[in-house]
Amino acid sequence: MTIINVLLPLAIADAYSYLLPDDLHAEIGDFVEVPLGSRKMIGVVWPDDGKKPPAKTVKLKTVIGVVEMKPLPLELIKFLNWVCDYYISPKGMGLRLVMNVPEAIGVVQNIDAVRMGTGEVERSTKARDQVLDICEGGETFRKSELAKQAGVSVAVVNGLLKMGALSMAQMPKFAKFKVPKTNHNLADLADDQHAAADTICQAVAVQKFETFLLDGVTGSGKTEVYFAAIAKAIEQGKQAVVLLPEIALTVDFLQRFENRFGVEPAPWHSGLAKGARERVWRAVASGEAKIVIGARSALFLPFDNLGLIVVDEEHDGAYKQDSGVMYHARDMAVVKANIGKFPLILASATPSLETYLNATSGRYTHLVLDKRHGGAKMPHVRSIDLREHQPESQKFLSEPLITAMKAKLAAGEQSLLFLNRRGYAPLTLCRACGHRIACPQCDAWLVEHRFNNRLMCHHCGISIVKPTKCTECEAEDKLVACGPGVERIFEEVELLFPEARIELLSSDIQMNVDEIQRRLNAIAAGECDIIIGTQMIAKGHHFPHLTLVGVVDADLGLENGDPRAAERTYQLLNQVAGRAGREQKQGMVLLQTYMPQSPVMRAMIAQDREAFYKAEAYGRELANLPPFGRLASIIVSSKEQKKAFAFARTMIEAAPKITGMVILGPAPAPMGFVRGRHRVRVLARAPKGFKMQDWLKSGMLSVKPSGDLKVQTDTDPYSFF
Ligand code: ADP
Ligand code: ZN
């Protein structure tokens, strides 16, 4: 008997010790079945971190069995340990990020199938012939699949089986992923694309760790550049993964990939069905799937032989996981590439300040594409000062914007109105008593959704039927909608342009993927004049007929206490602006704002990105905010606010005093009440380079919460709500 460490995918800090019987053999990374209390569970043999005291053999439980499958690669184990250490998460939660497809653990079973048999067909019919024709080549089929292909009922297949004309067989549960054809549909790269691709390909060829910032304006052809790098990785026998914000992971994008490489990539996102997840997980582990295109969690797939990571739209906030292990996939991609010794591409038209500074300081290799591909011009950007051009009462579009839209409509070109706010109105107010309808369990107003006649909380999701009288003073018909959401803009546009074809796209409008795709295709084909949309329309889409972008409220998001508010607003506005004039015709962007002099608006109008980054970097350095200082946010929550405050103070008292470390709070979090719990926040700010994790663990986090108290630590927080 030997003692081994086994990590279980649960919220536990470390691996447990188990006895391994002599007749079993298990190495680090192997999946093993072990007893846990009265249950059995599968975990992974984990390396000893050298910190644990030797276990006493007498009390140890014994490993039940070793699962017959490939062990987790050592690099992945190293990576998970790193991630959990950095985000101060239980290691078991890190393993859970990998073992989130339980069906994929263990040997894959074959499934029943049918193939051509040797028996005679008793009486030939058209239906029977159709089935047999398909089976002629000797292939195996699932019964239902065969029937479908032949256009007959399963009964026909069963009949042929009975007479022996077909026979039962076994076939693999999943279709294989085909090897991408690296030379399938090569783009003729422009000079700057070519130069960028060459530089990256050299690093891919020698498999060394290097981080590239592929910094190119919207439409400059960044995708084609990283496709070239992916092709190189495949030629080297390596796997590659492209990370995208979930919202940008569209059928369109996957199709574009397929056009280039002649095969489907392995997709990875929250919408995948169970079987599809298992198929991808296994194919990634075996090395059969060469290219994965996925959302942030694809970083935790068990790659057999990864040789390149691409993080597209690297600045996007969607890369930060906001529960469990609160990792930032872009930052962890850098760690993963460093551990695996291979290159990494961060692509963006508006890099995060962190990445931008790393690139300009030389830590990352900076590759710039400053022109749109094919000679399309960058759009002109103008602001509309809402103080001068006030929309009519209860309306939200100003006269100059309406005039521009009219001109586009007359010219047969498309306009897009962007407003990053779902629903009809963000607030409902009683004109009789002044009451504002708020969520009963959150610090948030209920948002009116007129299409389904409800008021909804965008934080916890509860909704109520829209009341006809005030919930406070019971006055009838005194409730008014305040402010606009996209539904309200839709209403305004319908009144203004009764003859126009209008499309409203918002993530909360109940549409399935096909329906969304159908609408996007219709827009691209020019079957619509005015598009109204939220963030979901801002990313990645190429609409050839779109020449005017109107931003209904460019200031939205600027004032919310988030240190990255300006940066985010700038990135979002740029992305939306990038939808205009992507082909021959000149694009125009109009920003409705009350603050035309703010650094964000000025940079947008002058299209002077460097000036914006400079101003932003200056402000953050003065305030010791990231990337010049480091932050950790500790949120203490409880049903009782007093208890949360008291506990937060106890935590702070336990923190070692160190010069340069600043503790802010405790204070009610900006969203101080969510889902019925009070939230109190402590922000710790450290100088750059200081290892905050040890300081937190030995201090604040050494005080353990009890009762209904909960503590959530967020290293490098992005969400400040
Ligand atoms: P970005 O990702 O930088 O916004 P894309 O890669 O989406 O830009 O390219 C913008 C458009 O230009 C796309 O329609 C793309 O197909 C086209 N394009 C880019 N590079 C080339 C090229 N070398 N040859 C032909 N078309 C290209
Ligand atoms: Zn709520």
Side-chain angles (χ1 to χ4, degrees):
M1 294 265 208
T2 44
I3 300 175
I4 57 171
N5 284 316
V6 177
L7 185 62
L8 296 167
L10 299 170
I12 46 176
D14 262 306
Y16 292 145
S17 301
Y18 282 92
L19 287 173
L20 184 70
D22 292 334
D23 59 337
L24 290 182
H25 180 81
E27 306 258 344
I28 286 172
D30 271 326
F31 292 85
V32 290
E33 193 176 16
V34 296
L36 179 77
S38 57
R39 286 190 293 164
K40 289 183 198 168
M41 228 187 153
I42 292 186
V44 172
V45 182
W46 215 251
D48 192 349
D49 60 7
K51 280 185 234 149
K52 271 202 310 189
K56 290 206 193 81
T57 29
V58 265
K59 281 191 345 216
L60 293 184
K61 295 198 170 163
T62 307
V63 173
I64 299 167
V66 180
V67 183
E68 204 182 309
M69 68 186 284
K70 243 173 98 168
L72 279 190
L74 284 181
E75 276 168 10
L76 181 53
I77 291 174
K78 203 169 157 187
F79 176 59
L80 291 178
N81 278 338
W82 206 101
V83 171
C84 292
D85 190 38
Y86 189 80
Y87 292 104
I88 321 184
S89 285
K91 285 204 185 106
M93 293 301 279
L95 181 59
R96 219 153 104 155
L97 292 172
V98 175
M99 290 178 63
N100 59 2
V101 190
E103 301 78 20
I105 312 297
V107 188
V108 63
Q109 305 293 333
N110 281 338
I111 54 164
D112 287 340
V114 290
R115 68 147 73 97
M116 200 64 142
T118 47
E120 285 288 314
V121 184
E122 284 156 17
R123 184 175 48 83
S124 142
T125 65
K126 195 165 158 242
R128 287 175 178 174
D129 287 348
Q130 277 164 340
V131 172
L132 294 173
D133 279 353
I134 293 172
C135 295
E136 202 91 87
E139 274 179 79
T140 49
F141 299 90
R142 281 176 196 238
K143 247 193 222 174
S144 56
E145 189 52 37
L146 179 58
K148 199 171 144 202
Q149 267 194 43
V152 303
S153 71
V154 175
V156 178
V157 177
N158 282 335
L160 288 164
L161 268 169
K162 216 165 165 186
M163 59 186 87
L166 292 177
S167 66
M168 289 303 289
Q170 292 275 296
M171 69 183 279
K173 186 168 170 192
F174 300 115
K176 286 229 178 305
F177 282 101
K178 300 199 183 78
V179 179
K181 302 181 190 108
T182 54
N183 286 322
H184 179 69
N185 206 348
L186 286 178
D188 189 6
L189 296 184
D191 287 348
D192 56 350
Q193 285 178 311
H194 207 92
D198 271 358
T199 311
I200 304 170
C201 284
Q202 277 169 27
V204 175
V206 298
Q207 286 289 294
K208 66 164 174 165
F209 170 59
E210 184 171 354
T211 306
F212 296 92
L213 169 59
L214 183 56
D215 180 357
V217 297
T218 46
S220 59
K222 297 184 285 296
T223 316
E224 299 301 333
V225 173
Y226 69 68
F227 277 178
I230 291 173
K232 190 76 188 177
I234 306 303
E235 282 164 8
Q236 304 284 315
K238 297 284 173 182
Q239 292 169 298
V241 58
V242 179
L243 302 184
L244 281 170
E246 182 114 25
I247 193 174
L249 230 167
T250 54
V251 180
D252 248 7
F253 190 86
L254 298 177
Q255 188 58 50
R256 192 167 165 193
F257 176 90
E258 197 167 331
N259 293 345
R260 168 65 179 78
F261 290 96
V263 303
E264 55 151 2
W268 187 257
H269 53 81
S270 61
L272 281 191
K274 224 163 136 188
R277 289 174 81 76
E278 182 185 347
R279 176 179 178 227
V280 172
W281 200 98
R282 287 183 181 278
V284 168
S286 72
E288 169 198 313
K290 295 298 173 197
I291 305 176
V292 175
I293 297 189
R296 60 178 182 238
S297 59
L299 198 60
F300 293 91
L301 284 168
F303 289 94
D304 172 54
N305 190 11
L306 189 60
L308 176 69
I309 303 178
V310 180
V311 184
D312 201 350
E313 310 286 5
E314 69 85 31
H315 61 275
D316 202 291
Y319 285 120
K320 175 80 172 174
Q321 167 102 347
D322 56 9
S323 61
V325 185
M326 297 175 80
Y327 66 90
H328 195 298
R330 181 239 299 144
D331 297 346
M332 291 308 103
V334 179
V335 172
K336 194 170 171 74
N338 196 352
I339 291 175
K341 297 280 165 282
F342 54 76
L344 162 86
I345 303 172
L346 307 179
S348 177
T350 48
S352 62
L353 187 63
E354 280 85 345
T355 299
Y356 179 79
L357 293 175
N358 277 328
T360 47
S361 72
R363 253 186 85 186
Y364 296 171
T365 306
H366 197 177
L367 304 168
V368 179
L369 305 177
D370 56 8
K371 296 182 294 295
R372 280 188 159 177
H373 182 81
K377 301 245 178 22
M378 292 307 287
H380 294 314
V381 184
R382 306 259 180 285
S383 64
I384 297 173
D385 189 337
L386 288 177
R387 293 167 305 184
E388 272 170 49
H389 301 281
Q390 259 201 9
E392 283 174 40
S393 145
Q394 297 296 311
K395 296 280 190 293
F396 304 92
L397 303 180
S398 65
E399 188 275 322
L401 179 54
I402 295 169
T403 307
M405 289 171 72
K406 272 190 187 140
K408 291 297 170 190
L409 192 60
E413 294 171 27
Q414 278 173 339
S415 303
L416 164 73
L417 291 181
F418 173 76
L419 176 63
N420 205 15
R421 214 191 248 141
R422 296 174 285 142
Y424 184 83
L427 174 68
T428 305
L429 176 87
C430 172
R431 260 181 310 180
C433 73
H435 177 66
R436 299 158 168 221
I437 302 184
C439 174
Q441 52 175 6
C442 300
D443 255 357
W445 309 126
L446 292 183
V447 179
E448 179 180 350
H449 287 249
R450 195 160 283 192
F451 290 170
N452 43 25
N453 196 36
R454 296 187 86 82
L455 302 184
M456 261 185 71
C457 173
H458 283 187
H459 284 274
C460 69
I462 70 148
S463 75
I464 56 171
V465 173
K466 193 185 158 193
T468 51
K469 50 186 181 186
C470 175
T471 49
E472 193 72 16
C473 73
E474 307 208 329
E476 289 274 354
D477 299 323
K478 290 287 180 194
L479 294 176
V480 281
C482 298
V486 279
E487 291 178 5
R488 197 167 194 180
I489 300 300
F490 181 81
E491 190 182 83
E492 187 173 341
V493 170
E494 268 190 322
L495 280 174
L496 282 166
F497 304 99
E499 70 285 19
R501 296 165 299 175
I502 311 167
E503 276 286 357
L504 173 59
L505 284 167
S506 168
S507 58
D508 62 329
I509 295 173
Q510 300 291 320
M511 274 191 284
N512 59 27
V513 181
D514 293 338
E515 173 67 8
I516 293 173
Q517 198 54 46
R518 202 187 55 70
R519 293 216 194 176
L520 291 173
N521 291 345
I523 295 172
E527 292 160 16
C528 145
D529 305 306
I530 301 170
I531 309 144
I532 298 160
T534 56
Q535 193 152 349
M536 86 177 268
I537 202 84
K539 312 221 166 173
H541 304 294
H542 182 78
F543 301 133
H545 307 281
L546 179 64
T547 53
L548 174 67
V549 168
V551 178
V552 176
D553 183 354
D555 308 331
L556 190 66
L558 266 183
E559 283 173 33
N560 63 2
D562 176 342
R564 292 185 182 81
E567 179 187 331
R568 266 191 212 162
T569 304
Y570 180 71
Q571 285 157 342
L572 185 58
L573 290 180
N574 244 290
Q575 205 147 28
V576 184
R579 299 310 110 214
R582 287 169 73 91
E583 297 206 340
Q584 269 67 42
K585 293 198 186 102
Q586 176 67 50
M588 167 67 100
V589 179
L590 296 173
L591 308 171
Q592 296 198 133
T593 173
Y594 284 99
M595 299 185 275
Q597 291 309 314
S598 70
V600 173
M601 297 315 148
R602 289 218 307 253
M604 282 299 299
I605 292 157
Q607 290 281 290
D608 187 351
R609 206 183 69 169
E610 306 331 297
F612 177 73
Y613 281 124
K614 226 170 128 183
E616 190 59 20
Y618 180 73
R620 290 224 215 143
E621 188 165 14
L622 273 186
N624 283 316
L625 287 170
F628 299 96
R630 303 191 47 200
L631 293 177
S633 140
I634 295 115
I635 301 240
V636 180
S637 68
S638 162
K639 289 199 178 113
E640 285 173 61
Q641 197 188 37
K642 256 175 71 197
K643 256 170 79 183
F645 263 105
F647 188 73
R649 283 194 203 97
T650 317
M651 289 176 87
I652 293 172
E653 272 160 32
K657 311 277 173 288
I658 287 185
T659 28
M661 276 302 311
V662 178
I663 299 177
L664 306 162
M671 282 283 297
F673 187 54
V674 178
R675 292 172 203 266
R677 296 175 67 85
H678 291 277
R679 303 166 84 240
V680 166
R681 188 181 71 179
V682 178
L683 259 185
R685 199 181 66 207
K688 199 176 174 172
F690 178 73
K691 192 157 191 242
M692 217 177 346
Q693 287 85 349
D694 294 341
W695 177 83
L696 283 169
K697 275 193 276 191
S698 67
M700 281 199 249
L701 300 180
S702 65
V703 195
K704 297 293 172 211
S706 61
D708 87 322
L709 283 164
K710 270 197 206 133
V711 175
Q712 190 177 41
T713 313
D714 189 357
T715 312
D716 305 339
Y718 273 70
S719 165
F720 288 82
F721 80 80

